Amino acid sequence: MSDAKAAPAADAAPKSKKNILLFAIIGLIVTVLLVGGLLAFFILKSPAEGSADEAVAEANAHAEEAKKEKEKKKKEKEKEGHTAPVFDKLQDQPFTVNLSGETESVLQVEIMVELAEEHDKERLKSIQPKALDAVNRLLRSKTLEQVKTTEGQETLAREIREALNHLLEAEAKDEGVLSVNFTKYFYQVQ
């Protein structure tokens, strides 16, 4: 009988080791799942209140309201009657620059700008050194061939308008400088 009692005790030892190993594996799997679930929760959870997306949406809504307000004011002005265009001479004396290129040539222009509103005249005066520098650089970058043609003159006027509107921070076509007009346009080959 002692042999019969010894056999069940020997079978019990391997079963308890198997049970401990099984519980350890299950515990490890549960731990990995919990950690993975927590990581997924923190990564995928919705952004906090006041997030960047909400700020961008609010800024866009504010910009849209400002744009509508400008359009409303513009329509009111049109209803009141046609306002006279606002012109201003960019500089008292004509611009005189040496043109780039192989041939030595000079360009002399007098520029009048048409402005959207009267207060744009003051804004342009406040940035006049920057405006004159931008126009001078643009004029000096041109070649004689570019300024001789009508298309070249139109391109130059458009580029000056864009440069001035960039400095004025005008966004729409009906803001800032509306047109650039050459009241004197003279080029010469030396």
Side-chain angles (χ1 to χ4, degrees):
M1 273 207 161
S2 65
D3 286 338
K5 286 183 180 178
D11 285 338
K15 280 187 180 180
S16 67
K17 284 185 179 179
K18 285 182 182 178
N19 286 342
I20 292 174
L21 184 61
L22 182 63
F23 285 125
I25 291 174
I26 291 173
L28 183 64
I29 290 173
V30 169
T31 303
V32 168
L33 289 175
L34 282 174
V35 170
L38 286 174
L39 282 174
F41 172 75
F42 286 116
I43 291 173
L44 299 177
K45 79 175 187 172
S46 64
E49 187 175 319
S51 69
D53 292 337
E54 290 174 1
V56 168
E58 186 177 323
N60 287 341
H62 182 66
E64 190 66 31
E65 287 177 21
K67 186 177 179 182
K68 287 180 182 179
E69 185 66 29
K70 279 185 179 180
E71 288 176 8
K72 184 178 176 182
K73 286 181 181 179
K74 184 179 175 184
K75 287 181 182 180
E76 286 175 3
K77 284 183 180 180
E78 289 174 359
K79 286 180 183 178
E80 291 173 2
H82 182 68
T83 59
V86 179
F87 287 97
D88 191 24
K89 192 181 265 192
L90 200 55
Q91 179 174 281
D92 290 336
Q93 66 270 12
F95 289 87
T96 304
V97 297
N98 291 326
L99 296 170
S100 66
E102 304 235 347
T103 60
E104 290 190 28
S105 50
V106 175
L107 175 66
Q108 188 175 59
V109 293
E110 193 170 79
I111 301 173
M112 292 287 289
V113 292
E114 180 183 6
L115 302 166
E117 297 180 13
E118 187 68 35
H119 81 274
D120 289 330
K121 195 183 270 191
E122 294 304 316
R123 288 179 54 210
L124 189 59
K125 293 276 188 238
S126 71
I127 61 161
Q128 190 171 18
K130 286 184 177 185
L132 297 178
D133 178 60
V135 171
N136 269 316
R137 287 175 190 257
L138 188 58
L139 293 173
R140 286 192 312 263
S141 71
K142 299 299 179 184
T143 63
L144 180 62
E145 289 73 29
Q146 289 174 319
V147 300
K148 282 179 15 177
T149 65
T150 304
E151 294 85 18
Q153 291 175 19
E154 291 171 359
T155 300
L156 181 60
R158 180 181 42 79
E159 289 173 349
I160 291 171
R161 178 181 177 265
E162 290 171 357
L164 293 175
N165 279 338
H166 176 73
L167 291 172
L168 290 170
E169 298 174 352
E171 296 173 359
K173 288 187 176 186
D174 61 345
E175 294 179 347
V177 177
L178 300 177
S179 69
V180 172
N181 306 287
F182 299 114
T183 55
K184 182 176 184 180
Y185 197 91
F186 175 77
Y187 55 87
Q188 179 181 4
V189 179
Q190 295 180 349

